[in-house]
């Protein structure tokens, strides 16, 4: 798994190379993304390639968010396909994560003052 | 003979070819239904007339045991009240003679066609009924005329007796001694008493006549109402367009009116309720009770649905309990009860869930094995005990299977030897005919029963409903190892299967939802059923039905049936979404064991909302 990372100011934008995220590759994802979680406080994960996610995939993304917020950081998501968005909404994770159409908008959101955060509304 | 829609006819004809021809003609008569019984000898005809109820007779004069006009005379004398049509060759003299002796009509065999036969029969019946009425009225009139005449004749001398006695008692013609007065008072009292009696008799006759007319009129109205009740309230038409299921229904009343009923309720093409019931008793009272029971069921169902918070369909046992609570007191008071079977064909889970209240149970014919199985409930009929609760059973079906709900009029039909049709014969009949389409199937049952009974009329109502889930349109299967990395293979298989189905069955969103459910289910099997043991197998079967796709996963790991989460698991947990995702991405989930002992998870996704 090769996660390409770009920096936009102090925000790390990581493009997930996966088309499908399920129980078979969540462990690998967690391993590969761990250094990024260590090194960044502000992370955007671009899910543009992702076509399919299951419950373990959701769990993995949640775990990433937790690790970041535990040290005072934050994570946003962007580039969700319709199918992936549907799964997030079904389990109401769209209230936990901030989701944007493009990486630029997600990065911009880090600069603007945070709106009443959905992350606090869990 | 008051119901215009079915006429019971007796055909007396010894020539088989002629008889067949007449049967054909009669069957083709538009607008009226004629139940035709056939005998070949006059003696048989006379016997049948004496013991059975017929409305009309079709008579051939040339029989082995009687010829010519005598045939008609002897038959007609058995019951002058039944109109007789005589069939024969062209012969004006004979025709006139027969008409003068009271035949309804003379029909020339070589010249009859369905239309003219219909006219002749209908007009003849009407004429006969009018003649009957007039005859009855004239006999009434004759009787009361006679009595009026008699009473007038008796009155004159009576008036003399009373009048002269009064004169004497009043001492208008001379004084009386006490003894003479006593005797005269006796004579006077008797005379007056006689007069009172006579007045009563005449009065009674007039009242009797009025009452008889009223009764006849009431009976005619009742029969008309009964047959309208039957046609509009009790006999439902089976749904023609429920996707993936074909229904055949049969209802043959014994008398003009039924205590049997059936109801079909379509729940948005996802499940179909079929209620088959039998009210104890016959005739109009039974029919009225059947109609009332039906309406209580419908009301119970709609009340429960309206009151349900999450729009869940109430279970058959809940509806049965609720309906029963409203009718039980009435049934007990009327000293009647109702046996019924309430079955729900659930296309989401591909099961039949049913409640059997003292009814005949549900027969299931298995397409794969060709065997018949009877499923019984253990509940009492309705109307026996207040506060009764009901149990529900659930049986799975495979495509091509057939379910039969029926009334005991079928199994208890008797042949002339007194033998009953029975469940064994019924099962044999099912096995021989289960390949037929549902409508043809119930017709095959009907003719088998009537053939066995050797009669056109049975003593009990004949009712049955056949339910045939349509077979899969396309099938495919594959196997994967119990490794998580094979999950994508299962997904690809599902996608490929959906795409190559004849019509575009599932749209992208629905396909995605099905893929997700299959992934979650397979993950659960690998992780929980097989404890992540990688060398096991999961067998994946896909079937496309009209209107839906079904994916079933079979495994030999630890069986598990998760208790369904009633609400979304809290997002603080990182796992546990799996079951919730399955339930909310497909329309039906069923956990069961298959015939070879594998644990199975069946997922059903509909094409349209």
């Amino acid at each position: 798994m090769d996660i390409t990372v770009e920096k936009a100011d102090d925000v790390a934008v990581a493009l997930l190379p996966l088309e499908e995220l399920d129980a078979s590759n969540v462990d690998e994802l967690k391993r590969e993304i761990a250094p990024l979680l260590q090194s960044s406080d502000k992370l955007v994960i671009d899910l543009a390639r992702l076509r399919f996610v299951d419950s373990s995939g959701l769990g993995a993304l949640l775990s990433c968010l937790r690790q970041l917020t535990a040290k005072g950081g934050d994570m946003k998501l962007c580039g969700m396909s319709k199918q992936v968005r549907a799964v997030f909404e079904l389990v109401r994770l769209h209230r936990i994560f901030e989701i944007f159409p493009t990486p630029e908008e997600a990065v911009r959101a880090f600069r603007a003052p945070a709106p009443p955060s959905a992350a606090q509304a869990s | 003979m008051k119901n215009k829609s079915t006429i019971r006819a007796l055909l007396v004809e010894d020539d088989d070819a002629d008889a067949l021809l007449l049967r054909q003609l009669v069957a083709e008569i538009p607008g009226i239904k004629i139940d035709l019984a056939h005998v070949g000898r006059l003696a048989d005809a006379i016997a049948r007339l004496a013991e059975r109820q017929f409305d009309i007779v079709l008579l051939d004069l040339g029989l082995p045991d009687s010829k010519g006009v005598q045939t008609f005379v002897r038959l007609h004398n058995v019951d002058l009240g039944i109109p007789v049509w005589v069939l024969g060759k062209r012969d004006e003299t004979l025709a006139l003679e027969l008409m003068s002796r009271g035949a309804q009509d003379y029909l020339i065999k070589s010249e009859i066609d369905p239309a003219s036969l219909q006219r002749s029969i209908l007009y003849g019946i009407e004429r006969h009924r009018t003649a009957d009425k007039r005859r009855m009225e004239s006999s009434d009139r004759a009787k009361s005329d006679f009595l009026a005449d008699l009473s007038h004749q008796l009155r004159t001398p009576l008036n003399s007796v009373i009048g002269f006695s009064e004169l004497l008692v009043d001492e208008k013609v001379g004084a009386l001694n006490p003894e003479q007065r006593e005797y005269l008072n006796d004579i006077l009292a008797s005379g007056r008493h006689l007069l009172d009696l006579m007045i009563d008799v005449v009065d009674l006759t007039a009242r009797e006549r009025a009452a008889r007319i009223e009764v006849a009129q009431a009976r005619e109205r009742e029969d008309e109402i009964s047959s309208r009740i039957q046609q509009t309230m009790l006999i439902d038409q089976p749904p023609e367009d429920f996707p993936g299921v074909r229904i055949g229904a049969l209802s043959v009343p014994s008398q003009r009116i039924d205590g049997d009923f059936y109801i079909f309720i379509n729940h948005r093409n996802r499940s179909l309720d079929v209620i088959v019931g039998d009210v104890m008793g016959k005739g109009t009272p039974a029919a009225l009770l059947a109609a009332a029971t039906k309406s209580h069921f419908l009301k119970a169902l709609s009340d429960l649905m309206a009151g349900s918070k999450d729009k869940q369909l109430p279970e058959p046992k809940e509806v049965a309990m609720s309906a029963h609570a409203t009718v039980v007191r009435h049934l007990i008071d009327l000293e009647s009860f109702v046996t019924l079977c309430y079955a729900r064909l659930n296309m989401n889970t591909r099961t039949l869930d049913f409640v059997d209240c003292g009814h005949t149970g549900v027969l299931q014919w298995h397409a794969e094995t060709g065997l018949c199985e009877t499923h019984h409930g253990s509940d009492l009929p309705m109307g026996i005990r207040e506060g009764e609760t009901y149990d529900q059973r659930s049986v799975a079906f495979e495509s091509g299977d057939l379910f039969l709900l029926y009334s005991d009029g079928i199994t208890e039909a008797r042949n002339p030897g007194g033998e009953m049709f029975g469940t064994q014969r019924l099962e044999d009949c099912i096995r021989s005919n289960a390949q037929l389409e549902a409508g043809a199937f119930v017709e095959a049952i009907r003719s088998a029963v009537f053939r066995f009974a050797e009669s056109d009329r049975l003593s009990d109502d004949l009712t049955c409903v056949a339910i045939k889930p349509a077979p899969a349109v396309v099938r495919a299967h594959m196997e994967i190892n119990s490794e998580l990395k094979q999950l994508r293979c299962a997904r690809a298989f599902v996608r490929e299967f959906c795409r190559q189905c004849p019509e575009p069955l599932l749209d992208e969103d629905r396909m995605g939802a099905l893929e997700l459910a299959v992934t979650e289910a397979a993950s659960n099997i690998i992780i929980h059923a097989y404890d992540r043991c990688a060398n096991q197998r999961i067998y994946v079967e896909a079937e496309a039905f009209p209107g839906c796709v079904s994916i079933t996963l079979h495994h030999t790991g630890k069986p598990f049936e998760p208790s369904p989460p009633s609400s979304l698991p809290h997002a603080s947990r990182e796992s546990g979404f799996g079951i919730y995702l399955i339930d909310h991405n497909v329309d039906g989930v069923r956990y069961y064991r298959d015939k070879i002992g594998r644990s199975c998870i069946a997922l059903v996704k509909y094409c349209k909302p």
Side-chain angles (χ1 to χ4, degrees):
Chain A
M1 184 181 311
D2 196 13
I3 305 179
T4 43
V5 185
E6 285 183 4
K7 277 285 207 179
D9 302 337
D10 51 346
V11 180
V13 179
L15 173 64
L16 219 61
L18 302 170
E19 284 189 11
E20 301 178 27
L21 179 59
D22 66 11
S24 68
N25 51 7
V26 279
D27 290 339
E28 194 189 344
L29 172 67
K30 286 186 191 168
R31 272 198 312 273
E32 293 290 323
I33 208 168
L36 203 51
L37 297 176
Q38 296 263 317
S39 60
S40 317
D41 273 353
K42 297 185 178 146
L43 182 59
V44 170
I45 300 191
D46 189 349
L47 302 172
R49 297 249 177 92
L50 196 65
R51 199 195 58 76
F52 176 90
V53 68
D54 75 352
S55 58
S56 42
L58 296 177
L61 290 169
L62 252 182
S63 136
C64 293
L65 178 64
R66 294 230 140 73
Q67 286 183 54
L68 278 174
T69 53
K71 56 174 183 153
D74 195 13
M75 178 178 119
K76 300 184 200 296
L77 301 174
C78 67
M80 266 192 202
S81 75
K82 190 168 153 214
Q83 190 174 336
V84 170
R85 176 95 202 198
V87 187
F88 268 77
E89 285 181 9
L90 183 60
V91 294
R92 301 207 200 114
L93 285 181
H94 62 302
R95 300 211 199 130
I96 308 290
F97 289 95
E98 286 174 69
I99 303 170
F100 299 89
T102 63
E104 292 75 29
E105 286 165 274
V107 169
R108 222 176 308 139
F110 271 109
R111 269 182 248 130
S117 175
Q120 290 152 8
S122 52
Chain B
M1 219 200 302
K2 282 135 200 140
N3 183 336
K4 287 188 177 57
S5 60
T6 307
I7 296 173
R8 297 160 305 181
L10 177 65
L11 171 63
V12 191
E13 168 64 71
D14 63 328
D15 184 301
D16 283 334
D18 282 351
L20 194 62
L21 191 67
L22 274 156
R23 243 186 211 288
Q24 201 107 334
L25 280 169
V26 161
E28 289 172 31
I29 294 181
I32 43 179
K33 186 157 162 307
I34 300 189
D35 270 343
L36 195 69
H38 172 219
V39 295
R41 302 165 56 83
L42 182 63
D44 295 336
I46 291 176
R48 291 291 287 269
L49 272 184
E51 79 188 28
R52 304 296 208 91
Q53 293 286 338
F54 287 102
D55 301 316
I56 66 174
V57 178
L58 304 171
L59 175 70
D60 173 39
L61 294 181
L63 299 170
D65 55 344
S66 174
K67 303 250 178 274
V69 179
Q70 274 311 303
T71 313
F72 169 78
V73 173
R74 283 168 63 194
L75 184 99
H76 191 48
N77 282 334
V78 173
D79 186 346
L80 294 171
I82 299 185
V84 180
W85 276 256
V86 181
L87 310 153
K89 295 202 269 285
R90 183 178 278 286
D91 185 339
E92 293 293 336
T93 333
L94 180 61
L96 281 171
E97 170 153 24
L98 286 164
M99 301 293 279
S100 77
R101 285 181 185 266
Q104 271 306 309
D105 206 347
Y106 184 84
L107 302 167
I108 301 166
K109 278 194 208 174
S110 55
E111 296 177 13
I112 320 175
D113 64 273
S116 59
L117 194 55
Q118 177 208 43
R119 266 201 307 280
S120 176
I121 290 180
L122 283 182
Y123 291 174
I125 290 179
E126 198 49 50
R127 221 179 322 150
H128 184 86
R129 188 197 304 198
T130 319
D132 239 358
K133 222 192 294 177
R134 248 187 260 128
R135 219 178 303 134
M136 203 171 72
E137 282 169 9
S138 85
S139 106
D140 275 344
R141 233 178 302 128
K143 187 161 116 191
S144 36
D145 283 349
F146 166 73
L147 278 172
D149 203 36
L150 180 68
S151 83
H152 179 75
Q153 293 203 23
L154 287 175
R155 263 187 146 140
T156 319
L158 251 181
N159 280 332
S160 282
V161 168
I162 295 173
F164 285 120
S165 310
E166 279 175 347
L167 256 178
L168 287 167
V169 157
D170 291 343
E171 293 179 301
K172 292 273 170 46
V173 286
L176 298 169
N177 63 42
E179 220 176 334
Q180 285 170 326
R181 193 175 298 122
E182 194 188 322
Y183 292 167
L184 273 170
N185 275 323
D186 280 345
I187 294 169
L188 191 53
S190 302
R192 287 205 179 117
H193 187 54
L194 255 177
L195 186 65
D196 286 343
L197 281 175
M198 255 180 28
I199 290 175
D200 278 349
V201 165
V202 174
D203 191 27
L204 196 64
T205 319
R207 263 191 286 135
E208 192 184 301
R209 184 155 33 109
R212 199 156 355 118
I213 292 179
E214 223 179 277
V215 163
Q217 282 174 347
R219 209 171 284 138
E220 235 180 83
R221 268 199 310 272
E222 183 186 300
D223 275 1
E224 205 189 292
I225 292 176
S226 303
S227 98
R228 287 241 305 275
I229 289 178
Q230 175 153 358
Q231 264 140 49
T232 62
M233 291 175 72
L234 297 183
I235 305 302
D236 262 7
Q237 287 310 312
E240 292 280 304
D241 54 355
F242 191 88
V245 186
R246 290 262 72 83
I247 316 267
L250 183 71
S251 169
V252 181
S254 58
Q255 297 183 164
R256 221 135 306 187
I257 178 89
D258 249 11
D260 279 8
F261 62 93
Y262 46 71
I263 317 176
F264 299 100
I265 307 164
N266 182 345
H267 298 291
R268 301 169 72 225
N269 286 354
R270 293 289 192 265
S271 49
L272 180 71
D273 287 356
V274 180
I275 308 180
V276 173
D278 186 355
V279 173
M280 183 186 85
K282 288 208 203 306
T284 310
L288 288 174
L289 264 177
T293 307
K294 245 184 105 153
S295 83
H296 279 286
F297 261 91
L298 292 171
K299 178 150 203 313
L301 181 62
S302 87
D303 283 350
L304 284 168
M305 283 171 74
S308 149
K309 290 186 308 258
D310 50 0
K311 309 280 186 76
Q312 285 275 67
L313 207 52
E315 292 292 312
K317 67 179 174 191
E318 297 173 284
V319 180
M321 246 175 71
S322 175
H324 186 235
T326 59
V327 295
V328 60
R329 242 311 15 114
H330 299 307
L331 286 170
I332 291 177
D333 289 342
L334 291 166
E335 295 188 356
S336 184
F337 60 86
V338 182
T339 63
L340 65 80
C341 180
Y342 183 166
R344 175 171 294 163
L345 191 73
N346 196 329
M347 299 309 280
N348 296 356
T349 53
R350 301 190 69 76
T351 56
L352 187 84
D353 310 319
F354 68 96
V355 178
D356 171 13
C357 306
H359 206 65
T360 50
V362 175
L363 275 174
Q364 179 177 11
W365 179 78
H366 295 275
E368 190 156 334
T369 57
L371 296 177
C372 259
E373 193 184 350
T374 310
H375 304 292
H376 280 300
S378 52
D379 293 301
L380 291 180
M382 304 211 147
I384 306 289
R385 257 204 313 238
E386 291 193 61
E388 189 75 21
T389 56
Y390 295 100
D391 290 321
Q392 191 170 296
R393 282 196 57 187
S394 183
V395 296
F397 59 84
E398 310 292 324
S399 49
D401 281 2
L402 183 145
F403 285 111
L404 186 69
L405 279 68
Y406 64 99
S407 72
D408 58 15
I410 292 186
T411 39
E412 293 179 8
R414 287 185 191 272
N415 65 6
E419 223 187 321
M420 290 209 289
F421 192 74
T423 41
Q424 194 50 57
R425 255 188 214 94
L426 179 59
E427 290 187 14
D428 292 340
C429 191
I430 294 176
R431 273 193 293 274
S432 328
N433 293 291
Q435 319 291 350
L436 296 173
E437 178 272 321
F441 173 81
V442 294
E443 185 47 45
I445 303 265
R446 190 194 74 88
S447 49
V449 176
F450 276 99
R451 218 174 325 136
F452 170 81
E454 289 175 48
S455 159
D456 292 337
R457 214 134 247 285
L458 297 177
S459 61
D460 203 357
D461 309 328
L462 213 80
T463 305
C464 71
V465 175
I467 304 171
K468 268 199 114 170
V473 173
V474 192
R475 280 194 136 113
H477 61 90
M478 55 93 87
E479 271 195 351
I480 55 170
N481 282 330
S482 53
E483 298 176 274
L484 291 172
K485 65 183 190 209
Q486 294 253 284
L487 288 174
R488 64 191 57 219
C489 299
R491 282 200 290 276
F493 165 71
V494 171
R495 258 199 318 275
E496 190 45 44
F497 177 79
C498 289
R499 291 219 178 100
Q500 50 111 51
C501 275
E503 310 143 25
L505 273 189
L506 296 182
D507 57 26
E508 277 298 320
D509 291 345
R510 293 206 158 78
M511 239 199 299
L514 187 56
E515 260 184 273
L516 181 54
V518 171
T519 301
E520 299 290 349
S523 296
N524 282 339
I525 292 174
I526 294 170
I527 297 171
H528 301 294
Y530 283 137
D531 285 328
R532 294 182 187 262
C533 190
N535 60 355
Q536 301 298 316
R537 308 288 282 165
I538 300 178
Y539 180 79
V540 184
E541 187 181 5
E543 290 173 293
F545 296 95
C548 70
V549 173
S550 162
I551 310 281
T552 309
L553 299 127
H554 308 251
H555 67 93
T556 52
K558 274 186 306 195
F560 64 93
E561 181 166 346
S563 47
S566 53
S567 57
L568 182 54
H570 199 266
S572 60
R573 306 174 41 201
E574 281 163 24
S575 60
F577 292 130
I579 300 298
Y580 184 85
L581 283 176
I582 294 177
D583 287 341
H584 285 76
N585 274 282
V586 290
D587 299 295
V589 189
R590 184 165 67 99
Y591 297 86
Y592 65 100
R593 265 197 118 81
D594 70 9
K595 285 177 284 289
I596 52 181
R598 295 179 300 191
S599 300
C600 309
I601 305 172
L603 306 163
V604 172
K605 184 76 184 167
Y606 281 93
C607 341
K608 281 198 274 263

